[in-house]
Every structure is written in C-alpha cells, then in structure tokens.
Amino acid sequence: MPGSSLRLSLSSLRTRLLLLVAAAYVPAAILTVWTIRSDREEALAEERARLARLLAQADADSAAAIVAGRRIVATWAQVPDIVSGSSESCDAALARLLRFAPMVASPTRINARGIVDCGGRSPQSRGRDVSGTPIFNRLAGSDSVLLGPYLPADSTRVALLPINMPLRDEQGRFTGVVSVGIRLDWFDRLARNSDLPPGSLVTIADSTGLLVAHFPSVPALDTVRPGLNVRFREDLEHGREERGSVVRTTLDGVEQLVSHERLESAPGTVVRVAVAMPPNVAFAEPNRRARVRVAMLVAAVIVALLVAWYGAHVVVLRDVEAILGATRRLGAGDLAARTGLTDRTGEIGQLAESFDTMASQLEYRQDRMRHAERLESLGTLAGGVAHDFNNMLTAIVGSADLALEQCPPNHPAHDDLLTIKSSANRSSSLTRQLLDFSRRTPLVSNPQCLHQLVHEAASLLGRVVPASVLVSVRTTSTRLTRIDAGRIEQAIVNLAVNARDAMPDGGTLTITLDDEDVAATPDTAADGSPVPPGHWLRLRVSDTGIGMSPEVQRRIFEPFFTTKAPGEGTGLGLAMVYGTVQQHGGHIQVNSVAGQGTTFTIWLPEAVHAERAADELAAPVMGVAAPLRVLVAEDQPEVRSLIERVLTRAGYAVVMAPEGHSALALGHEMGSTVGVLVTDYDMPGMRGDLLAVALRAQRPELPVVLMSGFASEGWPAELVNAPHTALVEKPFTPQQLTQAVQAACEGAARDTVVTAAATA
C-alpha cells in the first residue's frame, strides 16, 4: 500500500469512504441508544411494579391484622375482670388472654380518670395519666373501636399499632379504656423475606416526620426526622399521598428508587410504609445488556472501518491512482498515456474507458491540428492567389459585359464574348472555392427561391455520383429564404457526397424541397434546440445506404469526426454543413437506421419581406438624373480603368486615385463635392478601411462602397454597420457595381451586399 494513501484529508476518497461507512452506523447507534433507554425504562417499570405489589401485600397484611385486633379488643372489653376488676385481677386476665393472642402485645387498661392501672407496655407505664390526650377524650364519648398513634420500635420491642375500645358497665357508664397493640409482624416479613437487594431500606413513618420502624434498624426510632414531613407534603402536592414511586435523593443523600403505600392509621394522621432501593439495582441487567450491545456496535464499526480502509485501496483507490497517474502523464504532454484498466467494469471501468477515449481523441486531434496548421498555410497561400485572380477576373468580367452592351447578338464576336464571360464566371467559382478553403469568404445572403438552386446543385452531382446511384429531385417550395447560395449549394453537395459513400453498391439519392408550417409542438433539431413555430423551408437529402448507429449519429457534426479510413475523409464536411445551417438561422436533423439509409433535414426560415428585397436586387439600375462625383481608390490599373468606364457610362463623374494616401488627399481637396467613395480594401500604403474611416471623420454621412478581393471580415464593424455603406466583392459585374453605388447613396447599409453569385 503506497505511503501516500495513508494520508487522510476531507477531500480524499479514502476519508470520504470511511465517513460514509461511519455514517452508515449512525442509525444503528441511534437504535442502540434507544434500545438501551427502552430497556432501562422497562426494567425500572418492572421494579416499580414489583415494589407496588410488595407494598400492596404489606397493606393487605396490615389491614388483616387491624381487623383481627378489632375483634380481639372487642372481645376483651366484655371480660368482667378487665371491665371492672381490680388491678391484680385485670393483670391476671390480660396475662391469660395473651397466651391465646400472640399477635397482640402490651394490653393496657386505663380507668375512667385516664390513669393506666393495668398492663402497659412497660412497668413504667403503670400510673401514667393520659386523660389529656385527644384520643382518650374521643373514646370517652364513643362506643367505637379507635386506632391510636403507631408506637415506634426499639432495640427490644417491635413497633405496635394500638387499638382502643371504651369500657362501660351494666348501666352504660364509661369506666375506662382497654387497649391492645397489634404487632407489625408483616413489616419484619416485608423487610427480611422479600429478597430486597443490598442497600435497600424499609420504613414506616407518619406525616409528622416520626420514624416508627426502620430496616435495617437504626437508633433514630421514636424521633422526628428533619425533612421527612416535607417529603409527605411534596407527595401530597403531586398526588402521591396514597401510593407512589419516584427516583429521588433520600434524607441520607443517596439516590434511591422510593415506593410507598399508605396504611390505615388514627384519624388526623398519615402513616405509610416505604421501600427505598438503589436504581442501579433495577438497571443491573439492562446495563449488562447495554454494555454487550455497545461493545458489539463498536466492534462492528471498527471492523467495517478496517475493511473500508483496506478495501478502499484494493477496490477503488488502486484503480483511481492508475487513472490519476495517467492524467498526470497526459498533463505533462505524454499523449500516449493510458490507464491500462481495460478489464474493469462498472463506474471505474467507465471512467477509465472515458479517460482512454479522451486521451485517444486528444492524440488524434493533435495530429489533426498539425494537419490543420499545414492546411492553414496552404489556405493563406490560396487566399493570396484568389485575391490576385479576383482582380484580374474583375477586369475580364467587367470588360466582357461592357463589350456585350456594344455588340448586338448577331455580331460575329458576340458568342466569343459570352464564352469569355462564362469562362470567367467558372474561374470565379474556382476562386470562391479557394476562398472557402482559406476561410476568407463572408456569409453573403440574399432572399432567394431554393427551387432553382436545388436543381442546379443536382445537375452538378453527375460529376460526383456514379451511374449506379439514381438521383431523384422533387421541389414544391414557393417561399423565399435569405441564403448565401454558394454555401447552401456546397452543403447540398457535401450531403450528396456522404450519401454516395453510404451506397457503395448503388441506390437512390432523393432530394426534396417543400414548405412546412411548424405548429406549437416543435420538432427537435440536431443541436437539441427546438424548431420554433413559424414558416419554414424544409430541404431533405435521403439515401438508401448502410445507415448509421446511434453512437455515430451523436458525433457526426463534430469537426474531424469521420468513419472513413485514414486519407479518405477529413471529417469537416458535415461540420461545415452544420455551421452553414446555423449561420443561416436554421436547424439540421438526422434520422438514420443501420441498414435502412439516412435522411438529413435542413430547416431554413422564410425571409421576411423577401419579395420586396428580391425585386430591389433584381431591378436594373437606370442611372442617375444628375452627375454625382465618385472618388475611386483602386491600386490595380485594369480594375481602376473598368470602374471608371462603368461609372462614367452610368452617369457619374469619376475621380481616380491609385492608392489610399492620394485618395485621402483628393478627398480633403474635394471636400463636400465628393458624392461617393468607392475603395478597395487591400492597397499599398493605406488600406481602404482606414481611408473610409478618415473621410467619414470629416463627413460622417459620406456614402461608401467597400470592395474586397477575398473577404470583408477585416472591415471595422463601425464602418460596415454604419448607414450609407455598401459592400461589393470581386469579381463584380457593371450592374452590381452601380447597384452598390446606388444602395450606398440610398442608405441600404449592410443588408445590401452584392456578390458574383447573382451573375450569369
């Protein structure tokens, strides 16, 4: 195990896995705590119930003893020697009767004056005057048996409950009281035979705080315990006067589980028996079970953490470290770095496979980038060549047009001039392809009907589609859409070439064009965005070829992605189609099933006010009513001469300049008499855009016609987008040039873009 894997941090996978494992045991810990608490509560409830049953039995025994004592004292109150005999005869009678009633003790007779004259609890009791006690006075006026105050136990005598009976002679006169003490033998049984745990206490006390009986025995009997009467009041306030059970700190400062039961006693007094025992005795078994549960939980957590610690390395981290190592090598520039985890499955396998795929793509794209750099160099060269060609073709096309205007159709040179113009136009198409290759052509869009364009594109397919492929074209669209015709035509050809490659053994290539109104429920475009509701032109290119798998369909519009063998495809064709459609504000969809063919659907928006724009572009220029001074800046003599002839014939007054600095000087000299500036872009000394900006600084409303031999993407945006600005690309026809000058004068701005695509 690598040493680095032993380091823990909150961001490491190992730490997070350990935390997850620990978190998984949180519910178990909560359940364990809840079980322990429930177990303790159940044990406490069981112990309380046991004590309650024990005290209830003690109360029942006490009540039974009181009933028996009442019968005894009622019987003895009928014995003549006890009722009216002398002290000696009374003592003898009591002694005889005690042998038959062992449950009573200390029989006593009190005469009518309240003097103890027979029996007694001790010899010192003889002659004691109790006439002033409330119970004696109550007995003197009653015939009922009354209970007296409990008599505390001492070292030689047990606690007693006196039962008193008034004595009356035959005439019903009060002659005294006979009293017997009921032994509290049930207390001894409760204390000694109830299997109470060590540390338990059993007491009998009254509400005055007098401690009547105590087990184990203490010397404080027959005394009032400070604070004991307060406990009686607290229990009375909480409804525990009759019986109750509570965990509290006793007067000795020890926490105990205390249960008590009220006993029958003399009127006006509350006497109760109580059992106090340590709560940990009740919790002994639950605590043992709790220790076992906690130990098992801790052991399970430790084992799980150890397994997770080691398993994290074996199952996860070892593979992750392999992926990280490959990532570091890839970041250091080693594009051949791979994880080597080709046999893994699940998420780790997917991660490793994704990384290896990414690394392979990076390596492949680096090769493509080197290739693209070489293409860029060639493109720069092609752009320069195309620029020079455009200048020459401008002179050729313009001169041919001027010659055709002077040559009637029956002239012997008329057909030769048409051939010259046709060849020049084909050369212009070749130049446009070179500019497309060098990426120096802007998007030049005009409202057009795709019907003729589709048929023209289909006619070109005879050069690229073999005879084994049947080409079918069906067009029903009547709407106009704003497009760059060359770009759309190239997109159709690219799709047709892909269809051809998908049908090596022949098949059918179908191109359809129709109008489609999309309702509120849109279709889905290839880029995942919807085709919004509206009026659209729908162009479909379908084949009956081998089709594509879903994986290939997801990637077909990626630059450099190709399913062809090395050297047979660049992977740019469909990417260029996708980009062209996006530039036109459209959408493209693909629907393909392996073995059943492929259909590409291009959606192009209908042009707004297209009829008016198309009419404006198609209308011939009739010339101007009055001469307008045009300042022309062009470095190529042939093109400069052509422009001068075209504009002069159109009725303009032309001032020529061979380069930018001289044009600027002429512009300052002419001042406000300059009606239009016509300038080339690429000129020695000062470029055309700088010339236009300089003159516009003097006259912001100056109409400007910008000419370019290869692109307008270098023109400043504030110049191109300003009012009274028109663009024209070389090569151009005389009509296109005069249209651009007129558009600049009329403020057509950037929407008036004249191209060679509208020629011939």
Side-chain angles (χ1 to χ4, degrees):
M1 186 180 302
S4 61
S5 63
L6 296 177
R7 294 196 301 267
L8 291 179
S9 67
L10 289 178
S11 60
S12 70
L13 286 177
R14 186 190 299 275
T15 302
R16 294 181 181 184
L17 182 59
L18 294 180
L19 291 176
L20 284 175
V21 172
Y25 277 90
V26 170
I30 295 175
L31 180 61
T32 300
V33 172
W34 179 83
T35 302
I36 291 174
R37 291 187 58 182
S38 299
D39 201 7
R40 288 168 63 90
E41 291 174 357
E42 290 177 3
L44 184 61
E46 291 177 0
E47 197 60 40
R48 284 174 171 168
R50 186 175 77 89
L51 293 180
R53 291 192 299 271
L54 188 65
L55 293 177
Q57 183 61 45
D59 182 45
D61 292 346
S62 174
I66 291 174
V67 170
R70 289 176 183 273
R71 287 198 301 266
I72 291 173
V73 74
T75 302
W76 287 9
Q78 305 299 321
V79 177
D81 289 341
I82 296 176
V83 174
S84 57
S86 62
S87 297
E88 291 77 7
S89 61
C90 176
D91 286 335
L94 291 177
R96 286 196 310 274
L97 294 174
L98 279 175
R99 290 198 297 271
F100 301 101
M103 61 178 299
V104 302
S106 302
T108 303
R109 186 183 70 178
I110 304 170
N111 60 27
R113 297 189 306 275
I115 304 300
V116 177
D117 63 352
C118 175
R121 194 175 188 191
S122 65
Q124 291 78 15
S125 301
R126 189 70 61 91
R128 182 180 177 183
D129 186 358
V130 297
S131 60
T133 61
I135 190 171
F136 179 80
N137 295 326
R138 191 177 298 116
L139 287 169
S142 172
D143 292 330
S144 302
V145 176
L146 295 178
L147 299 180
Y150 279 75
L151 301 177
D154 56 27
S155 57
T156 60
R157 294 172 296 185
V158 298
L160 299 177
L161 172 59
I163 299 180
N164 307 293
M165 180 75 179
L167 298 175
R168 297 190 182 276
D169 57 13
E170 294 177 354
Q171 288 75 28
R173 290 174 301 193
F174 176 73
T175 61
V177 175
V178 60
S179 174
V180 298
I182 302 300
R183 295 176 180 272
L184 303 184
D185 294 337
W186 57 265
F187 180 79
D188 289 336
R189 291 194 301 272
L190 172 66
R192 301 181 186 278
N193 303 324
S194 300
D195 193 23
L196 294 174
S200 299
L201 304 176
V202 185
T203 61
I204 297 178
D206 64 15
S207 56
T208 64
L210 178 66
L211 192 60
V212 177
H214 192 286
F215 178 83
S217 60
V218 294
L221 295 176
D222 200 15
T223 60
V224 175
R225 292 287 302 273
L228 189 56
N229 57 337
V230 177
R231 292 293 172 85
F232 271 83
R233 288 197 299 272
E234 291 177 356
D235 292 339
L236 177 63
E237 293 172 357
H238 291 85
R240 295 192 295 262
E241 179 184 6
E242 296 293 331
R243 62 187 57 83
S245 181
V246 65
V247 177
R248 63 167 36 145
T249 302
T250 63
L251 297 177
D252 299 327
V254 180
E255 187 179 58
Q256 299 275 45
L257 170 61
V258 180
S259 296
H260 66 266
E261 183 84 18
R262 182 172 179 175
L263 300 176
E264 187 177 359
S265 59
T269 63
V270 177
V271 178
R272 66 187 186 190
V273 57
V275 178
M277 62 181 295
N280 59 358
V281 174
F283 298 147
E285 184 59 24
N287 287 343
R288 184 192 67 80
R289 291 194 293 267
R291 287 191 293 271
V292 173
R293 291 190 180 101
V294 171
M296 292 178 63
L297 178 63
V298 172
V301 172
I302 293 175
V303 171
L305 291 177
L306 290 176
V307 171
W309 176 276
Y310 181 73
H313 174 76
V314 174
V315 179
V316 179
L317 295 182
R318 183 168 58 188
D319 294 341
V320 172
E321 289 170 358
I323 297 175
L324 289 177
T327 304
R328 296 187 190 99
R329 295 197 304 274
L330 183 65
D334 181 10
L335 296 181
R338 300 294 186 271
T339 61
L341 304 177
T342 57
D343 58 339
R344 299 296 191 269
T345 59
E347 287 79 2
I348 293 294
Q350 295 176 9
L351 179 61
E353 182 182 1
S354 298
F355 176 85
D356 291 343
T357 302
M358 178 191 68
S360 299
Q361 287 294 323
L362 287 176
E363 187 176 21
Y364 170 75
R365 295 194 180 197
Q366 186 185 51
D367 294 338
R368 300 303 301 174
M369 187 179 300
R370 295 193 186 100
H371 181 64
E373 290 173 353
R374 293 193 294 270
L375 291 179
E376 183 67 24
S377 300
L378 294 175
T380 302
L381 175 61
V385 173
H387 173 263
D388 294 338
F389 275 9
N390 277 333
N391 281 323
M392 291 184 288
L393 290 173
T394 299
I396 295 173
V397 172
S399 298
D401 281 334
L402 292 177
L404 285 171
E405 292 179 4
Q406 305 298 324
C407 185
N410 57 357
H411 194 280
H414 186 273
D415 292 341
D416 295 332
L417 290 174
L418 289 177
T419 301
I420 292 173
K421 183 176 179 180
S422 176
S423 298
N425 286 332
R426 287 197 297 271
S427 299
S428 176
S429 299
L430 176 61
T431 304
R432 175 170 291 276
Q433 293 178 9
L434 289 174
L435 292 176
D436 285 340
F437 174 74
S438 62
R439 301 178 185 175
R440 295 194 178 187
T441 54
L443 182 65
V444 182
S445 60
N446 290 308
Q448 296 188 35
C449 180
L450 286 184
H451 172 81
Q452 183 177 356
L453 179 65
V454 170
H455 282 278
E456 290 177 354
S459 65
L460 297 176
L461 297 182
R463 305 173 186 174
V464 296
V465 175
S468 59
V469 175
L470 175 64
V471 179
S472 174
V473 180
R474 297 191 297 269
T475 60
T476 59
S477 173
T478 59
R479 293 173 178 171
L480 295 180
T481 181
R482 184 174 292 276
I483 61 169
D484 184 321
R487 296 288 183 87
I488 295 298
E489 184 178 68
Q490 186 62 43
I492 296 174
V493 172
N494 284 347
L495 293 176
V497 170
N498 276 275
R500 175 203 65 187
D501 296 339
M503 298 182 291
D505 299 327
T508 301
L509 170 62
T510 304
I511 303 175
T512 59
L513 175 68
D514 58 6
D515 298 330
E516 180 71 14
D517 294 330
V518 178
T521 302
D523 297 312
T524 301
D527 59 357
S529 61
V531 177
H535 306 296
W536 297 85
L537 282 79
R538 183 171 58 184
L539 175 64
R540 296 178 180 176
V541 179
S542 304
D543 64 67
T544 57
I546 59 176
M548 293 180 287
S549 65
E551 293 76 13
V552 173
Q553 291 184 55
R554 284 194 292 268
R555 302 186 59 193
I556 55 173
F557 296 114
E558 296 180 10
F560 302 116
F561 175 77
T562 179
T563 58
K564 300 176 183 178
E568 296 183 5
T570 63
L572 292 174
L574 290 179
M576 293 176 64
V577 172
Y578 181 83
T580 297
V581 173
Q582 290 294 305
Q583 282 183 295
H584 284 80
H587 301 275
I588 184 169
Q589 297 169 295
V590 59
N591 183 18
S592 181
V593 178
Q596 299 182 22
T598 301
T599 298
F600 286 91
T601 303
I602 296 176
W603 299 79
L604 295 174
E606 181 183 15
V608 180
H609 306 304
E611 294 81 359
R612 178 176 177 271
D615 292 341
E616 289 177 353
L617 285 177
V621 177
M622 301 305 296
V624 294
L628 185 68
R629 301 188 72 182
V630 180
L631 176 60
V632 178
E634 169 61 53
D635 62 319
Q636 295 294 327
E638 299 86 355
V639 178
R640 192 165 60 246
S641 175
L642 173 66
I643 294 174
E644 183 178 11
R645 284 183 290 159
V646 169
L647 295 182
T648 300
R649 289 189 180 187
Y652 296 100
V654 183
V655 178
M656 306 300 299
E659 44 83 28
H661 289 293
S662 60
L664 181 61
L666 286 173
H668 288 161
E669 180 182 344
M670 296 168 61
S672 61
T673 62
V674 177
V676 183
L677 170 66
V678 178
T679 179
D680 190 19
Y681 175 79
D682 191 10
M683 294 185 297
M686 175 180 282
R687 293 201 316 263
D689 59 332
L690 300 179
L691 171 63
V693 171
L695 292 179
R696 276 276 177 90
Q698 180 180 350
R699 286 182 56 198
E701 75 282 359
L702 176 65
V704 176
V705 176
L706 307 174
M707 300 183 298
S708 174
F710 52 86
S712 61
E713 54 194 28
W715 299 98
E718 65 272 13
L719 178 63
V720 176
N721 297 330
H724 303 286
T725 301
L727 302 179
V728 62
E729 289 192 16
K730 299 176 181 178
F732 50 78
T733 65
Q735 183 184 20
Q736 292 167 359
L737 179 59
T738 54
Q739 283 179 348
V741 173
Q742 184 181 13
C745 294
E746 294 177 353
R750 58 179 176 175
D751 286 338
T752 305
V753 180
V754 184
T755 69
T759 61

